[in-house]
Amino acid sequence: MFRAGVESGEVTASVRIWKSPHVKVGGRYRLEEGHIVVTSIQEILWEDLTDKLARDTGFRNLLDLMKTAKHGAGQRVYYVRFLYRDTSARAIVAKQQ
């Protein structure tokens, strides 16, 4: 569900738990047939993690979000906003028409 939401443009933010940020504002990161461009990153509190935040970021609930958000021994919570750019041949042809 998460990737489909990102590719459709419905999901434009994610939560990640790291020791330090693994992305930077303006960075481009490959995803499927395109890439995401990070527009902002903000450290948030553990208390900010809710089922609503999970749904807003493309997950069913907080438990599902945590399965994806937690990376290694990190304890810092980051809210990452981004845009998806489809760079597949199909998308390029559609833009030209």
Side-chain angles (χ1 to χ4, degrees):
M1 179 177 165
F2 176 74
R3 286 182 184 226
V6 170
E7 291 175 2
S8 73
E10 183 178 325
V11 175
T12 59
S14 186
V15 172
R16 293 293 183 258
I17 302 169
W18 294 319
K19 287 183 179 182
S20 61
H22 291 199
V23 298
K24 63 182 180 177
V25 173
R28 294 167 51 134
Y29 304 91
R30 186 120 176 89
L31 179 68
E32 302 299 329
E33 295 188 34
H35 60 270
I36 61 170
V37 178
V38 174
T39 57
S40 69
I41 183 167
Q42 174 184 1
E43 189 168 358
I44 62 174
L45 303 172
W46 283 94
E47 295 80 25
D48 295 326
L49 298 176
T50 63
D51 282 333
K52 181 183 180 327
L53 180 63
R55 287 188 300 275
D56 290 348
T57 57
F59 295 92
R60 287 183 302 213
N61 55 43
L62 186 54
L63 180 61
D64 283 345
L65 170 106
M66 293 302 289
K67 290 176 184 175
T68 299
K70 182 79 169 134
H71 292 273
Q75 294 297 316
R76 297 173 73 182
V77 184
Y78 296 94
Y79 183 73
V80 181
R81 296 192 60 78
F82 55 82
L83 299 171
Y84 178 74
R85 299 291 184 231
D86 187 344
T87 55
S88 66
R90 169 183 38 83
I92 293 169
V93 168
K95 286 179 186 177
Q96 293 173 348
Q97 295 178 347

